[in-house]
Amino acid sequence: MLLSVIIPTFKRHETLGACLKHLSPEIQNVSPDLFEVIVTDDAPGDETRDFLVRNYPRALHHRGPQKGPAANRNSGAKSARGEWLVFLDDDCLPQPSFLSAYIEAIGKNPDCLVFEGCTLAERPRIRLDEEAPINDRGGYLWSCNFLIQRKLFLEMGGFCELYPYACMEDVDFREQLREKNIRFLFVPGASVVHPWRPLAPDSKYLKMLLTSHAIFFERYPLRGPSLYRTCKSILRVWAVGLLKEAPRLKFRGFWRYVARQSTLTRYQLLIWSESGRKQSGDPRL
């Protein structure tokens, strides 16, 4: 077995089904003997397992530990039989060249142990209040689409399981690779399509960002944000959104966008403030 495709999921049968449909050997044009698909399920009960048995019997159901997405991916990876692990999100649609491009990259780059795929949006953006994790040039190593040698992944201990949400655990893993001077290559042909999703400006989203970044900056203090970088980021987001994107998109979703960016601005200032106090030894943290 060459590849094991690891797909973490939690009660999203519709998007999971579309993802699995695009992973069929016929669409991927790859021999079924070369890869397996492992759906690692973090939901209680047997609904996902039954869904797979009825509709996608080739996919292997794995019971996740119900400790968050990082732990769920790690658990699925431990059950994999492939020499290489492909991490893929359940709302992504692998394109026909997805697996073959990764297989070709492995053959052409025998000294490389990590590869990053391309993530594209399903269509041009039409509203301000929607987003998609577009990665068409590489450098991010987002967990929705990358390939790594299984031996290396297990030696590194997988994703850090301190992160309770789907936020920053892949950035943390990327930092671990950089600290070990392990390079990763971008493979444009290993592409997936990610749907647009509505912005989430609520307090739950803010809590997720604060919690995840607090964990990250505690593990990597030197990566803490400076006031200059924080203000530059805030100004850039507002300037691009209001001066460039809003007129082009005819102000569709304008107020929801303003609410979201106000939330993000508050979050960035809080992160800068808390990170600075922690680095200075402030006992209030």
Side-chain angles (χ1 to χ4, degrees):
M1 187 69 66
L2 180 63
L3 304 177
S4 292
V5 183
I6 312 297
I7 306 176
T9 193
F10 183 82
K11 297 182 179 181
R12 297 206 297 189
H13 294 170
E14 183 177 351
T15 59
L16 174 62
C19 177
L20 293 173
K21 181 178 180 180
H22 283 72
L23 275 175
S24 67
E26 295 78 19
I27 291 180
Q28 291 296 314
N29 197 27
V30 171
S31 169
D33 296 332
L34 289 178
F35 75 101
E36 64 179 355
V37 177
I38 299 174
V39 176
T40 179
D41 176 24
D42 236 14
D46 297 324
E47 290 183 11
T48 301
R49 186 197 64 183
D50 296 341
F51 171 77
L52 295 178
V53 170
R54 289 194 309 269
N55 301 285
Y56 301 95
R58 189 175 183 277
L60 304 174
H61 180 265
H62 176 79
R63 181 73 63 187
Q66 300 181 32
K67 296 180 179 179
N72 195 23
R73 291 190 185 95
N74 291 344
S75 181
K78 291 175 183 177
S79 71
R81 296 177 296 158
E83 181 183 351
W84 294 81
L85 305 176
V86 181
F87 288 100
L88 178 68
D89 279 1
D90 64 357
D91 57 351
C92 290
L93 302 178
Q95 299 304 285
S97 63
F98 177 64
L99 293 180
S100 59
Y102 272 141
I103 293 173
E104 183 180 357
I106 292 171
K108 289 184 176 179
N109 303 276
D111 296 329
C112 187
L113 302 179
V114 187
F115 298 89
E116 177 184 22
C118 176
T119 304
L120 304 170
E122 59 185 335
R123 54 167 171 76
R125 188 182 186 186
I126 60 175
R127 294 181 60 88
L128 282 166
D129 57 349
E130 60 183 7
E131 63 182 356
I134 298 173
N135 179 18
D136 56 0
R137 297 184 180 181
Y140 297 107
L141 203 72
W142 284 332
S143 56
C144 63
N145 180 11
F146 82 91
L147 169 76
I148 185 170
Q149 185 192 60
R150 181 176 184 271
K151 179 181 177 182
L152 172 62
F153 183 79
L154 296 180
E155 287 176 351
M156 293 181 61
F159 293 100
C160 176
E161 297 184 7
L162 294 174
Y163 296 91
Y165 307 107
C167 179
M168 297 302 289
E169 78 283 3
D170 47 5
V171 178
D172 188 297
F173 190 78
R174 185 183 69 209
E175 289 304 308
Q176 293 182 55
L177 289 174
R178 287 177 172 170
E179 287 185 348
K180 296 178 181 294
N181 293 317
I182 299 174
R183 67 190 182 103
F184 54 90
L185 293 181
F186 182 60
V187 184
S191 61
V192 302
V193 170
H194 195 288
W196 291 94
R197 56 195 178 197
L199 299 180
D202 55 22
S203 58
K204 182 180 179 181
Y205 180 72
L206 177 62
K207 178 183 177 182
M208 179 189 77
L209 293 175
L210 285 170
T211 301
S212 298
H213 280 79
I215 295 170
F216 179 80
F217 292 134
E218 184 171 355
R219 286 172 53 80
Y220 303 95
L222 296 180
R223 293 294 308 275
S226 67
L227 180 59
Y228 169 75
R229 288 198 301 269
T230 298
C231 292
K232 181 180 178 181
S233 175
I234 291 172
L235 289 174
R236 181 181 180 279
V237 166
W238 280 101
V240 170
L242 299 183
L243 300 180
K244 181 181 178 181
E245 292 295 304
R248 183 178 69 85
L249 301 175
K250 299 180 180 179
F251 292 88
R252 297 187 186 96
F254 176 77
W255 291 113
R256 188 176 176 85
Y257 174 83
V258 169
R260 162 63 178 270
Q261 297 310 327
S262 298
T263 299
L264 286 179
T265 296
R266 178 186 169 208
Y267 133 75
Q268 287 180 290
L269 292 173
L270 280 171
I271 286 293
W272 165 74
S273 176
E274 293 189 10
S275 177
R277 289 204 299 269
K278 180 162 291 189
Q279 291 182 40
S280 66
D282 192 314
R284 291 176 293 175
L285 294 179

